[in-house]
Amino acid sequence: ADGYYEYTMSECVYSTSDYSDMVYLESYSFNKVVDVQFNSTVGKFVGYTEEGVKHAENWNKDQAILQHSKAAVDTFCRPIVQLDDSSVLDKA
């Protein structure tokens, strides 16, 4: 089948129970190749392909986009992980 495969993936990565090491990753892929990724530890978008570098440069210039992504550890990751952990760990 001819066509294109494009997707975005958001991940919350951590290994401590207090979430102090939590990292938010937001990856944009095209045809199974990661073009650009935001890493909350790095604090900016990084491009891995020619097209991804262009996107990263533009998104890093936009303070609203950058602040939204930087805040995702607290606004997206922690609430979801705490909810998931409480439902799983309380059952153990």
Side-chain angles (χ1 to χ4, degrees):
D2 293 335
Y4 299 104
Y5 185 68
E6 184 175 24
Y7 66 97
T8 303
M9 184 168 58
S10 298
E11 299 176 82
C12 302
V13 181
Y14 66 100
S15 62
T16 59
S17 60
D18 67 355
Y19 314 126
S20 60
D21 65 341
M22 187 171 287
V23 177
Y24 172 69
L25 302 171
E26 185 176 308
S27 303
Y28 295 85
S29 300
F30 182 74
N31 284 349
K32 300 182 182 179
V33 175
V34 176
D35 284 326
V36 63
Q37 183 181 62
F38 178 84
N39 179 322
S40 63
T41 302
V42 177
K44 66 178 183 176
F45 291 90
V46 176
Y48 297 104
T49 64
E50 185 177 340
E51 193 68 27
V53 169
K54 292 176 189 175
H55 287 302
E57 288 173 356
N58 287 330
W59 294 341
N60 287 330
K61 290 177 189 174
D62 188 324
Q63 289 303 307
I65 291 173
L66 208 52
Q67 291 304 320
H68 181 266
S69 294
K70 286 179 178 180
V73 168
D74 294 318
T75 61
F76 176 73
C77 288
R78 282 198 177 90
I80 290 173
V81 169
Q82 287 172 339
L83 183 63
D84 288 349
D85 280 359
S86 69
S87 65
V88 172
L89 297 176
D90 289 348
K91 307 291 185 223

